[in-house]
Amino acid sequence: MNNSDVQAVILAAGKGTRMESDLPKVLHQINSKPMLGHVLEMVRSVGLSRSFVVVGHKAELVSKFSDADDVTSVLQEPQLGTGHAVQVTVPVLKAGGYTIILCGDVPLLKSETVSTLIEKTKSAGVSASVLTCVVENAGSYGRIVKDADGNFKAIVEARDATAEQIAIGEYNSGVFCFKTDDMIEALAELKSDNDQSEYYLTDTIAYLVGEGRNVQAVAIDDPVQVMGINTVAELAEAEKYFLERS
Ligand code: UD1
Ligand code: CA
């Protein structure tokens, strides 16, 4: 599959408060390589046109690590949420085609998974696909809310969810594939009326659904690949999984 019509945005501006360290979260290492390095290596093997890394907290250090011929860093200052992080890349994005969103703190994702997500987005002709996973208890992850017919309606953050929504086992991995133009349209409509007063990328889904556009959830059965690292304990766990599978 030719992915020269696909660009990537990698979110890496967050502070990572729970790592209890001065080092930016995405530069913490798994098997002697920063988490962001694992993500960049993975993205390169998918063969995309270009990658943009959104930097903010300790921006200089993260930019220095990421900048390359095929990677540009974009400054997000201040950091007003995942939706805002993608908004700051809009001026440098190429219109048309597809944009995948990845997170610098989700280091174990495989290139096959991203290729499949892109392929399924193209073949279904949808505005957006969200990579999801189903577990018994989805903890602090955003919940995938569907209607009675199984149509994808919205992503609701755990902290904004009702008790009924909290019981949903399908969660947002933070990895998306959008038609670029639809994503840009939806980003312009984001509001920060939530518990954290942030601009959530996840709200683009409810917007697109409201506009009658098709979105889909693409579930994977391997929660390890979509582990988001927020603490030193999770970093150690991810390294253990990495060593086991390599
Ligand atoms: C996010 C999703 C959640 C999902 C989870 C998966 C939103 C609102 N929530 O939650 O649905 O289940 O990821 O791991 O999107 N970042 C920036 N700039 C910002 C804020 C964040 O670049 O202003 C980056 C962070 O560095 C990180 C990524 O975006 O790499 C995710 O941000 P984080 O705050 O960890 O989001 P979660 O609360 O985990
Ligand atoms: Ca996170």
Side-chain angles (χ1 to χ4, degrees):
M1 168 84 59
N2 176 0
N3 286 324
S4 61
D5 57 345
V6 185
Q7 57 200 331
V9 172
I10 302 168
L11 306 185
K15 191 153 185 254
T17 314
R18 285 178 285 165
M19 296 302 289
E20 290 168 10
S21 154
D22 274 347
L23 191 68
K25 176 160 78 170
V26 295
L27 296 187
H28 282 262
Q29 299 190 340
I30 289 178
N31 198 34
S32 306
K33 181 191 283 200
M35 288 198 271
L36 182 58
H38 288 278
V39 177
L40 288 169
E41 180 184 284
M42 181 279 289
V43 114
R44 283 200 174 96
S45 69
V46 181
L48 307 181
S49 63
R50 181 145 212 97
S51 297
F52 300 94
V53 177
V54 181
V55 300
H57 176 68
K58 299 256 166 102
E60 261 170 58
L61 272 179
V62 181
S63 298
K64 208 169 127 196
F65 177 79
S66 18
D67 278 345
D69 286 347
D70 56 344
V71 185
T72 308
S73 44
V74 181
L75 183 65
Q76 183 200 17
E77 186 61 62
Q79 292 96 45
L80 303 179
T82 52
H84 178 251
V86 184
Q87 278 171 349
V88 302
T89 70
V90 169
V92 294
L93 289 180
K94 191 164 175 265
Y98 298 84
T99 301
I100 58 167
I101 310 293
L102 302 164
C103 293
D105 62 351
V106 179
L108 300 184
L109 190 64
K110 293 185 179 171
S111 57
E112 301 91 273
T113 304
V114 172
S115 297
T116 302
L117 185 71
I118 294 168
E119 220 172 283
K120 288 191 168 173
T121 306
K122 290 180 175 177
S123 63
V126 293
S127 287
S129 301
V130 182
L131 186 67
T132 68
C133 193
V134 184
V135 291
E136 197 138 318
N137 175 1
S140 61
Y141 289 119
R143 303 299 199 270
I144 304 299
V145 178
K146 293 178 174 167
D147 68 16
D149 297 325
N151 299 308
F152 196 170
K153 300 292 283 183
I155 302 174
V156 177
E157 290 309 294
R159 58 200 309 160
D160 299 308
T162 62
E164 200 182 334
Q165 291 167 335
I166 282 290
I168 299 170
E170 186 170 14
Y171 68 89
N172 168 30
S173 71
V175 177
F176 297 77
C177 180
F178 287 97
K179 273 187 184 157
T180 303
D181 296 346
D182 290 353
M183 180 186 82
I184 291 173
E185 177 192 327
L187 285 172
E189 301 297 327
L190 291 181
K191 299 194 173 53
S192 58
D193 51 354
N194 52 58
D195 184 54
Q196 300 188 89
S197 300
E198 287 187 352
Y199 295 91
Y200 287 169
L201 177 63
T202 45
D203 288 344
T204 56
I205 297 301
Y207 168 80
L208 291 169
V209 170
E211 292 297 300
R213 248 62 75 69
N214 290 321
V215 302
Q216 66 180 354
V218 174
I220 58 163
D221 56 12
D222 178 10
V224 166
Q225 277 194 57
V226 292
M227 250 184 102
I229 308 306
N230 295 305
T231 64
V232 176
E234 286 165 357
L235 183 72
E237 199 187 340
E239 181 162 64
K240 185 180 78 110
Y241 287 125
F242 178 86
L243 295 172
E244 273 169 17
R245 86 179 187 196
S246 55

